Short mmCIF file of all heavy atoms in Angstrom, two decimals:
data_model
loop_
_atom_site.label_atom_id
_atom_site.label_comp_id
_atom_site.label_asym_id
_atom_site.label_seq_id
_atom_site.Cartn_x
_atom_site.Cartn_y
_atom_site.Cartn_z
N ASP A 9 -0.44 8.92 -0.58
CA ASP A 9 -1.57 9.69 -0.07
C ASP A 9 -2.60 8.70 0.45
O ASP A 9 -2.75 7.60 -0.10
CB ASP A 9 -2.15 10.54 -1.19
CG ASP A 9 -3.32 11.40 -0.75
OD1 ASP A 9 -3.45 11.69 0.45
OD2 ASP A 9 -4.13 11.78 -1.62
N VAL A 10 -3.31 9.06 1.50
CA VAL A 10 -4.34 8.16 2.03
C VAL A 10 -5.53 8.10 1.09
O VAL A 10 -5.97 7.02 0.68
CB VAL A 10 -4.81 8.60 3.44
CG1 VAL A 10 -6.07 7.87 3.84
CG2 VAL A 10 -3.74 8.36 4.46
N ASP A 11 -6.07 9.25 0.74
CA ASP A 11 -7.32 9.32 -0.02
C ASP A 11 -7.05 9.41 -1.52
O ASP A 11 -6.76 10.49 -2.04
CB ASP A 11 -8.16 10.52 0.43
CG ASP A 11 -8.56 10.40 1.89
OD1 ASP A 11 -9.00 9.32 2.29
OD2 ASP A 11 -8.42 11.40 2.62
N MET A 12 -7.12 8.26 -2.18
CA MET A 12 -6.96 8.22 -3.63
C MET A 12 -8.12 7.41 -4.21
O MET A 12 -8.70 6.58 -3.51
CB MET A 12 -5.63 7.55 -4.00
CG MET A 12 -4.41 8.35 -3.62
SD MET A 12 -2.87 7.62 -4.22
CE MET A 12 -2.68 6.22 -3.12
N PRO A 13 -8.47 7.65 -5.46
CA PRO A 13 -9.55 6.88 -6.05
C PRO A 13 -9.18 5.40 -6.19
O PRO A 13 -8.00 5.06 -6.33
CB PRO A 13 -9.73 7.53 -7.43
CG PRO A 13 -8.45 8.25 -7.70
CD PRO A 13 -7.88 8.62 -6.37
N GLY A 14 -10.18 4.55 -6.13
CA GLY A 14 -9.93 3.11 -6.22
C GLY A 14 -9.26 2.61 -4.96
O GLY A 14 -9.78 2.76 -3.86
N VAL A 15 -8.07 2.06 -5.10
CA VAL A 15 -7.33 1.54 -3.95
C VAL A 15 -6.71 2.71 -3.20
O VAL A 15 -5.94 3.49 -3.78
CB VAL A 15 -6.23 0.57 -4.44
CG1 VAL A 15 -5.35 0.12 -3.29
CG2 VAL A 15 -6.86 -0.63 -5.13
N ASP A 16 -7.05 2.85 -1.92
CA ASP A 16 -6.49 3.97 -1.14
C ASP A 16 -5.06 3.67 -0.71
O ASP A 16 -4.55 2.56 -0.89
CB ASP A 16 -7.38 4.31 0.05
CG ASP A 16 -7.45 3.22 1.10
OD1 ASP A 16 -6.47 2.47 1.29
OD2 ASP A 16 -8.49 3.11 1.78
N GLY A 17 -4.42 4.67 -0.14
CA GLY A 17 -3.01 4.54 0.24
C GLY A 17 -2.76 3.49 1.31
O GLY A 17 -1.73 2.81 1.28
N LEU A 18 -3.68 3.34 2.25
CA LEU A 18 -3.49 2.36 3.32
C LEU A 18 -3.61 0.93 2.79
O LEU A 18 -2.85 0.04 3.18
CB LEU A 18 -4.48 2.62 4.46
CG LEU A 18 -4.28 3.95 5.16
CD1 LEU A 18 -5.41 4.21 6.15
CD2 LEU A 18 -2.94 4.01 5.86
N THR A 19 -4.54 0.72 1.88
CA THR A 19 -4.68 -0.60 1.26
C THR A 19 -3.45 -0.91 0.41
O THR A 19 -2.93 -2.03 0.42
CB THR A 19 -5.96 -0.66 0.41
OG1 THR A 19 -7.08 -0.35 1.26
CG2 THR A 19 -6.17 -2.03 -0.20
N ALA A 20 -2.98 0.11 -0.32
CA ALA A 20 -1.78 -0.07 -1.14
C ALA A 20 -0.57 -0.38 -0.26
O ALA A 20 0.25 -1.24 -0.59
CB ALA A 20 -1.51 1.18 -1.98
N ALA A 21 -0.47 0.28 0.90
CA ALA A 21 0.65 0.03 1.82
C ALA A 21 0.63 -1.41 2.31
O ALA A 21 1.67 -2.07 2.39
CB ALA A 21 0.59 1.00 3.00
N ALA A 22 -0.55 -1.91 2.64
CA ALA A 22 -0.67 -3.30 3.11
C ALA A 22 -0.28 -4.27 2.00
O ALA A 22 0.41 -5.26 2.25
CB ALA A 22 -2.08 -3.58 3.59
N GLU A 23 -0.69 -3.96 0.78
CA GLU A 23 -0.34 -4.84 -0.34
C GLU A 23 1.16 -4.80 -0.62
O GLU A 23 1.79 -5.82 -0.89
CB GLU A 23 -1.13 -4.45 -1.60
CG GLU A 23 -1.00 -5.47 -2.70
CD GLU A 23 -1.96 -5.25 -3.86
OE1 GLU A 23 -2.94 -4.50 -3.71
OE2 GLU A 23 -1.70 -5.83 -4.92
N LEU A 24 1.75 -3.62 -0.53
CA LEU A 24 3.20 -3.50 -0.72
C LEU A 24 3.96 -4.27 0.36
O LEU A 24 4.96 -4.92 0.07
CB LEU A 24 3.64 -2.04 -0.72
CG LEU A 24 3.30 -1.25 -1.98
CD1 LEU A 24 3.62 0.23 -1.79
CD2 LEU A 24 4.05 -1.81 -3.18
N ARG A 25 3.46 -4.21 1.58
CA ARG A 25 4.10 -4.95 2.68
C ARG A 25 4.13 -6.44 2.36
O ARG A 25 5.14 -7.12 2.59
CB ARG A 25 3.34 -4.71 3.98
CG ARG A 25 3.90 -5.47 5.19
CD ARG A 25 2.91 -5.54 6.33
NE ARG A 25 1.74 -6.30 5.88
CZ ARG A 25 0.50 -6.06 6.30
NH1 ARG A 25 0.25 -5.11 7.16
NH2 ARG A 25 -0.50 -6.79 5.86
N ASP A 26 3.05 -6.94 1.78
CA ASP A 26 2.97 -8.37 1.47
C ASP A 26 3.74 -8.75 0.20
O ASP A 26 4.38 -9.80 0.16
CB ASP A 26 1.50 -8.79 1.30
CG ASP A 26 0.70 -8.67 2.59
OD1 ASP A 26 1.33 -8.65 3.68
OD2 ASP A 26 -0.53 -8.60 2.52
N ARG A 27 3.68 -7.90 -0.81
CA ARG A 27 4.26 -8.26 -2.11
C ARG A 27 5.68 -7.76 -2.33
O ARG A 27 6.40 -8.30 -3.17
CB ARG A 27 3.35 -7.75 -3.23
CG ARG A 27 1.97 -8.41 -3.17
CD ARG A 27 1.07 -7.95 -4.27
NE ARG A 27 1.55 -8.38 -5.57
CZ ARG A 27 1.00 -8.00 -6.71
NH1 ARG A 27 -0.04 -7.19 -6.71
NH2 ARG A 27 1.48 -8.43 -7.86
N LEU A 28 6.06 -6.69 -1.61
CA LEU A 28 7.39 -6.10 -1.78
C LEU A 28 7.88 -5.61 -0.42
O LEU A 28 7.95 -4.41 -0.17
CB LEU A 28 7.32 -4.96 -2.80
CG LEU A 28 8.62 -4.37 -3.31
CD1 LEU A 28 9.43 -5.41 -4.08
CD2 LEU A 28 8.33 -3.16 -4.20
N PRO A 29 8.22 -6.53 0.48
CA PRO A 29 8.56 -6.15 1.86
C PRO A 29 9.74 -5.19 1.98
O PRO A 29 9.83 -4.45 2.96
CB PRO A 29 8.90 -7.49 2.53
CG PRO A 29 8.36 -8.55 1.64
CD PRO A 29 8.27 -7.97 0.26
N ALA A 30 10.62 -5.15 1.00
CA ALA A 30 11.77 -4.24 1.07
C ALA A 30 11.37 -2.78 0.86
O ALA A 30 12.13 -1.87 1.19
CB ALA A 30 12.82 -4.64 0.03
N CYS A 31 10.18 -2.55 0.32
CA CYS A 31 9.68 -1.19 0.11
C CYS A 31 8.91 -0.76 1.35
O CYS A 31 7.92 -1.37 1.71
CB CYS A 31 8.79 -1.15 -1.12
SG CYS A 31 8.08 0.48 -1.44
N ARG A 32 9.38 0.29 1.99
CA ARG A 32 8.71 0.79 3.20
C ARG A 32 7.78 1.94 2.82
O ARG A 32 8.11 2.75 1.96
CB ARG A 32 9.76 1.23 4.21
CG ARG A 32 10.74 0.07 4.48
CD ARG A 32 11.73 0.38 5.59
NE ARG A 32 11.03 0.18 6.86
CZ ARG A 32 11.13 1.02 7.88
NH1 ARG A 32 11.89 2.08 7.81
NH2 ARG A 32 10.47 0.78 9.00
#
């Protein structure tokens, strides 16, 4: 979800891209 408390979905997606590239 985009709008979540604390870290939003877009920030989480960017972090996942960097830390776990196999997860889309």
Side-chain angles (χ1 to χ4, degrees):
D9 181 23
V10 168
D11 298 314
M12 292 186 286
V15 174
D16 66 31
L18 296 173
T19 303
E23 190 170 344
L24 285 173
R25 178 197 64 213
D26 294 340
R27 297 181 67 186
L28 191 63
C31 178
R32 305 186 79 224

